[in-house]
Amino acid sequence: MNDKNIIITGLIIFFVFLTFPFWYNLGKASPVPEPKLTDKAKAAKECVEPKEYMKVEHMQILDIWRDGVVREANRVYISKKGKRFNMSLSTGDDSCMGCHSNKAEFCDKCHDYTSVTPYCWDCHIEPPKEKK
Amino acid sequence: MLELAFKGGKKYWGLIIGLLVLMGIAFGFWLWQLSFGLGITGMSRDVSWGFYIAQFTFLVGVAAGGVMVVLPYYLHDYKAFGRITILGEFLAIAAVIMCLMFIIADLGQPMRAINVIFYPTPGSILFWDMIVLNGYLLLNIIVGWNVLEAERNNIKYPGWVKALAIFSIVWAPLIHTVTAYLYCGLPGRGFWLTAILAPRFLASAFAAGPALLILLSLIIRRVTKFDPGREQIQSLAKIVTYAIIINVFFFLCEVFVVFYSRIPSHMDHIKYLFVGLHGHSALVPWMWTSILFMVTSIILLVIPATRKNEAVLAFACVILFIGTWIDKGMGMISGGFVPNPLHHVVEYVPTIPELIITLGIWATGFFILTILFKIAVTVKEEVSGV
Amino acid sequence: MENSRRSFLKLAGISAIGLGTKPVLDAFASSEAHGEKHGPEIFPNQEALTAKRWAMVIDTRKFESEADLDPIIEACNKIHNVPKFKEKRHEIDWIWVDEFKHVFTDLEHEFVDDRLKHLPFLVLCNHCENPACVRACPTKATFQREDGIVLMDFHRCIGCRFCMAACPYGSRSFNFRDPRPFIKEENKAFPTRMKGVVEKCNFCAERLAVGKMPACVEASNGAIVVGDLHDPDSEVRELLKNNYTIRRKTHLGAGPAIYYIV
């Protein structure tokens, strides 16, 4: 077994390579970001559904809205509490972004943190940057 | 058996590295295409499919053509081909992989390719093409690998492998039929709207595929200790002869129907390809070269004296391969799009990046083919003890 | 509607089970606790314009030159963020103009009258009854609505361009590159497209949904009319009854829904 050293070296290299993401990010851990709400969103108190539900399910809702609007011309959403909403991501004041007009603070923060890159803004036009 | 691919001489490694370099360069260009979009190609609103889809179509033929060595062995018990069925199967694997790569290269949003499975649409021929191509790839990998492994271990391959092999024989014409159906079911494209398209595709496939196999066999004989065999090559040559004659015959049938009926929307495309239309004639010299090559190869293949001379046979196979490649890999796709549905003549010429990516995919195919053939030939050498 | 409600509930249910998170269950529980039996539902807008089968009639007698058509095309391009490329190869068109002999390839003849010979014709997606593009699409990214409108779901398109080969009218365009830099003024109320997807006229589905007529109709001073082909009292039916109309390449059987009064 004169290949022993080679095998062990190979294994070590493989192991280091495999765990590279952990080494690379060592000491860079950042706290889980909290999305910021605009004043308008704060005043509304609740999104189309309760906050906790939105946190977990917003992508499903967006998906259903998308298919509903694009494929079936359904544009009105009636929430579980019976409230009516205009189904739109970025068109008008009563759209998602009409309320959450702070994309960087509201969407990007968490998406960046979790390395999620939805392609919404390749086509949908971002709300203009917040004036300070 | 994969380990066999790692033992080779200088020439083998030279070839491998050369192909890898080509692949690497093309990969770079593909990344550019990914970031810029398909705008780096010569395709347009009017000619919306170009070189990539043309190569795909041609290579489906090469893949299907591999069946011409498998069929006589398994269905007609033609023992001589037992030596080389593996070459046909491995060629099919490389060709189908190239096909899949050309499709991916042609997609505007390749990252979303999986949508074809997420939203299965049996009404779309492309959905079926995905199934038949991947199925054929899988069948050939399983059958080829198992047969070769059995040969290496000096045992007969198990019965289920033979069952799959026969299944793959039925499957082979399907891949090219479905590929033809991509085109011939479209209402507004007179050039493709013909029932002879699928048969014509198959005929050219059964000419080009085995012709390439003959050339590969001659190369293998020269550079390795394994001889695919003179009888085998001659039998393949006869298959090629029949197929190329039928291919040209089908084309002439098409020409007759189109020009005797004189329906402009069918005639214009062939006119564009062979004499030019409204002063546009980029493909005319190519198409006549193709005809010249195919006809010359027929003459050389039909006459027994020239067919039996392996040097002449090799020459005939080379020009036949080029001829069918021009016919399908250049004329077939552009020809269908020119003139466009509003009868404007907008020509298509591939760009340099497009050609490099195309070359890279061919290089990938040959890379896979080299490795697979290396494995197959080494096993053959081991078994015969030379 | 029925369908989407069901799929919504299904999805919501699956995700609730799948994640098993307390908040989700809480959300369901709380709405029931309030004594409200609503599930989430989605509906069309009340003010939406609807039809059993949409069709368009273009009265070409009301046009004289390209100057009459430019505002119509401009209106469409602006509203839909249609880019303008310098490179002909990358061109994207939703509605554009061409000559009689190119638009009506099978009606054209040497001695066609002078007016038709020189009149520019509007060309756009025909929203076929029997659309070849929808048959060809491998992902249902292009689909036909029940009211006949043929639409693109840009989110789903993989850019295979099979639909472009299938369309016998040349009505489809492909984003050969990112269109954004080539849009003069972005209309913020409508998305742009991204590179690698196919696009075409959408019969202003986004406007019909909120009760507005298509942009080209509004800009045409009454030369373009849309309406319900299945409603005998609709304006399009009235026009079709009283005028001789032609459609493009009817022999192909695609059943175009754009009618031209010549």
Side-chain angles (χ1 to χ4, degrees):
Chain A
M1 288 303 272
N2 48 2
D3 289 343
K4 205 166 140 192
N5 287 334
I6 300 174
I7 292 173
I8 289 174
T9 321
L11 275 177
I12 290 171
I13 293 172
F14 178 69
F15 181 76
V16 171
F17 189 72
L18 197 73
T19 52
F20 177 74
F22 297 102
W23 302 111
Y24 184 74
N25 283 324
L26 206 65
K28 282 193 230 162
S30 48
V32 182
E34 189 63 25
K36 270 200 188 134
L37 293 177
T38 56
D39 295 340
K40 191 176 170 188
K42 267 183 206 150
K45 290 216 169 68
E46 190 169 291
C47 198
V48 298
E49 297 291 349
K51 183 177 161 191
E52 291 308 316
Y53 182 79
M54 292 308 291
K55 252 190 186 169
V56 187
E57 300 286 325
H58 64 278
M59 54 296 249
Q60 319 290 356
I61 286 198
L62 283 171
D63 210 39
I64 289 158
W65 281 27
R66 170 169 95 181
D67 280 358
V69 171
V70 174
R71 305 183 75 88
E72 283 152 61
N74 287 328
R75 298 202 162 221
V76 178
Y77 179 81
I78 298 186
S79 73
K80 279 177 267 180
K81 290 189 179 162
K83 272 183 158 175
R84 291 170 70 95
F85 293 95
N86 171 39
M87 283 159 54
S88 172
L89 175 65
S90 55
T91 305
D93 287 340
D94 54 353
S95 65
C96 302
M97 303 315 286
C99 208
H100 301 291
S101 50
N102 54 340
K103 173 176 166 283
E105 292 285 302
F106 187 74
C107 309
D108 299 347
K109 233 177 170 182
C110 291
H111 288 162
D112 288 347
Y113 180 73
T114 49
S115 292
V116 177
T117 45
Y119 56 83
C120 313
W121 312 108
D122 287 351
C123 297
H124 289 268
I125 297 168
E126 282 182 36
K129 293 261 178 320
E130 282 259 287
K131 282 158 232 136
K132 290 260 162 89
Chain B
M1 286 188 290
L2 260 179
E3 77 279 2
L4 299 176
F6 288 99
K7 288 173 204 149
K10 255 190 190 156
K11 274 187 192 158
Y12 171 70
W13 285 110
L15 179 62
I16 290 284
I17 289 167
L19 290 171
L20 278 172
V21 169
L22 276 180
M23 287 156 70
I25 295 170
F27 185 74
F29 276 87
W30 183 67
L31 289 181
W32 179 27
Q33 181 183 293
L34 267 191
S35 73
F36 185 91
L38 282 165
I40 67 164
T41 71
M43 289 184 273
S44 63
R45 192 174 186 277
D46 302 290
V47 184
S48 48
W49 278 339
F51 224 52
Y52 298 148
I53 291 297
Q55 304 310 304
F56 151 77
T57 310
F58 178 73
L59 285 165
V60 174
V62 173
V67 80
M68 280 290 131
V69 285
V70 182
L71 186 147
Y73 176 69
Y74 287 102
L75 292 190
H76 302 285
D77 207 24
Y78 179 60
K79 292 274 188 322
F81 274 178
R83 276 171 82 81
I84 55 168
T85 51
I86 189 68
L87 302 185
E89 281 152 354
F90 280 0
L91 174 62
I93 293 175
V96 175
I97 291 176
M98 281 192 263
C99 292
L100 296 173
M101 289 178 76
F102 274 116
I103 291 191
I104 296 296
D106 189 67
L107 290 183
Q109 285 291 335
M111 310 309 176
R112 293 187 198 161
I114 203 81
N115 278 0
V116 178
I117 294 165
F118 284 163
Y119 309 103
T121 314
S124 170
I125 302 298
L126 206 58
F127 170 78
W128 292 106
D129 215 33
M130 172 204 70
I131 292 177
V132 290
L133 283 178
N134 284 298
Y136 193 60
L137 177 62
L138 204 65
L139 278 173
N140 276 291
I141 291 177
I142 296 172
V143 173
W145 202 257
N146 278 291
V147 169
L148 191 65
E149 191 131 58
E151 188 174 342
R152 194 183 192 194
N153 299 331
N154 262 321
I155 52 169
K156 193 162 168 57
Y157 47 81
W160 62 267
V161 172
K162 182 170 182 178
L164 278 187
I166 290 170
F167 191 49
S168 81
I169 291 169
V170 183
W171 198 285
L174 267 184
I175 64 169
H176 219 18
T177 305
V178 174
T179 303
Y181 285 2
L182 287 175
Y183 309 106
C184 70
L186 306 177
R189 310 279 179 184
F191 186 61
W192 299 330
L193 190 67
T194 164
I196 202 92
L197 200 72
R200 202 177 141 195
F201 272 22
L202 284 169
S204 96
F206 294 152
L212 182 59
L213 267 180
I214 291 177
L215 293 170
L216 292 169
S217 297
L218 291 172
I219 293 171
I220 286 174
R221 178 197 284 163
R222 179 168 283 197
V223 300
T224 74
K225 295 189 194 95
F226 170 64
D227 181 4
R230 186 174 163 81
E231 186 198 337
Q232 283 79 352
I233 289 174
Q234 284 301 317
S235 298
L236 274 177
K238 280 176 207 145
I239 292 172
V240 172
T241 312
Y242 280 111
I244 187 67
I245 291 172
I246 294 171
N247 182 42
V248 172
F249 167 67
F250 282 169
F251 171 66
L252 292 176
C253 290
E254 181 68 19
V255 169
F256 169 77
V257 170
V258 166
F259 285 95
Y260 198 80
S261 68
R262 305 230 128 225
I263 299 173
S265 61
H266 291 256
M267 235 170 13
D268 287 347
H269 301 280
I270 300 185
K271 274 191 188 162
Y272 166 69
L273 290 177
F274 287 94
V275 293
L277 195 64
H278 305 317
H280 297 274
S281 54
L283 283 172
V284 172
W286 291 95
M287 295 315 290
W288 284 108
T289 308
S290 163
I291 295 288
L292 180 74
F293 278 12
M294 288 197 278
V295 171
T296 313
S297 73
I298 288 179
I299 296 168
L300 294 176
L301 286 166
V302 166
I303 302 169
T306 45
R307 184 179 65 235
K308 283 177 185 155
N309 178 328
E310 282 188 349
V312 179
L313 175 65
F315 173 73
C317 286
V318 169
I319 60 171
L320 179 146
F321 193 75
I322 297 172
T324 49
W325 177 79
I326 295 172
D327 178 36
K328 238 163 153 185
M330 292 181 72
M332 186 58 69
I333 303 306
S334 294
F337 283 109
V338 187
N340 78 2
L342 288 103
H343 291 198
H344 288 289
V345 181
V346 181
E347 288 196 291
Y348 158 79
V349 182
T351 59
I352 302 284
E354 196 176 3
L355 291 175
I356 292 176
I357 293 173
T358 303
L359 193 67
I361 297 178
W362 275 92
T364 315
F366 273 94
F367 178 79
I368 295 167
L369 191 71
T370 307
I371 289 177
L372 290 177
F373 273 25
K374 163 84 180 154
I375 294 171
V377 168
T378 313
V379 168
K380 300 272 183 192
E381 288 170 344
E382 272 177 19
V383 172
S384 58
V386 282
Chain C
M1 195 176 73
E2 188 59 38
N3 247 340
S4 52
R5 185 159 60 211
R6 200 177 305 138
S7 62
F8 182 94
L9 288 173
K10 236 192 296 180
L11 245 175
I14 290 166
S15 41
I17 295 163
L19 292 164
T21 44
K22 203 165 163 288
V24 179
L25 295 173
D26 284 351
F28 275 109
S30 67
S31 59
E32 266 160 42
H34 292 329
E36 289 176 42
K37 289 191 180 70
H38 275 293
E41 292 182 62
I42 55 181
F43 293 108
N45 254 343
Q46 270 169 344
E47 62 268 34
L49 299 177
T50 55
K52 277 213 179 75
R53 175 83 178 94
W54 283 104
M56 175 183 284
V57 178
I58 301 177
D59 190 346
T60 63
R61 295 170 307 188
K62 296 189 176 162
F63 299 127
E64 270 169 20
S65 68
E66 236 173 279
D68 300 332
L69 302 174
D70 281 343
I72 298 174
I73 297 167
E74 212 31 59
C76 171
N77 287 352
K78 219 168 162 182
I79 281 184
H80 297 116
N81 290 323
V82 176
K84 186 108 193 112
F85 293 103
K86 279 185 212 92
E87 190 103 41
K88 174 93 173 57
R89 252 186 16 244
H90 300 154
E91 193 173 283
I92 287 177
D93 296 310
W94 283 36
I95 179 167
W96 73 103
V97 291
D98 211 330
E99 295 170 73
F100 184 82
K101 63 175 179 184
H102 289 295
V103 177
F104 298 98
T105 48
D106 48 349
L107 297 175
E108 181 260 324
H109 60 90
E110 202 182 336
F111 308 108
V112 80
D113 68 81
D114 271 357
R115 190 182 68 91
L116 291 188
K117 201 174 247 173
H118 302 295
L119 188 70
F121 283 81
L122 285 172
V123 238
L124 65 157
C125 169
N126 273 297
H127 296 278
C128 302
E129 195 166 351
N130 190 7
C133 54
V134 171
R135 263 197 314 278
C137 179
T139 62
K140 302 189 187 85
T142 193
F143 58 97
Q144 187 182 34
R145 275 191 347 198
E146 266 174 36
D147 59 8
I149 298 180
V150 176
L151 282 181
M152 282 291 305
D153 186 340
F154 305 113
H155 307 97
R156 194 181 284 190
C157 176
I158 59 172
C160 70
R161 310 193 294 299
F162 201 179
C163 54
M164 293 178 78
C167 175
Y169 301 105
S171 295
R172 293 174 160 269
S173 311
F174 180 72
N175 285 277
F176 281 98
R177 56 185 304 182
D178 181 14
R180 282 247 170 122
F182 301 90
I183 300 167
K184 252 185 270 154
E185 262 178 80
E186 277 178 351
N187 168 22
K188 304 240 179 307
F190 195 78
T192 66
R193 264 70 57 199
M194 65 197 291
K195 65 167 185 270
V197 298
V198 172
E199 64 180 88
K200 65 169 197 74
C201 158
N202 67 349
F203 213 83
C204 280
E206 87 284 3
R207 290 170 62 85
L208 296 176
V210 294
K212 288 186 200 160
M213 273 290 169
C216 55
V217 175
E218 272 186 5
S220 73
N221 293 320
I224 305 178
V225 173
V226 298
D228 191 349
L229 203 59
H230 287 192
D231 173 6
D233 301 322
S234 68
E235 204 183 343
V236 287
R237 282 290 290 275
E238 201 61 34
L239 283 168
L240 292 177
K241 204 181 343 180
N242 298 320
N243 298 280
Y244 175 68
T245 49
I246 54 174
R247 294 184 293 166
R248 295 174 66 196
K249 298 190 183 177
T250 45
H251 67 284
L252 296 178
I258 313 295
Y259 295 77
Y260 296 83
I261 301 176
V262 291

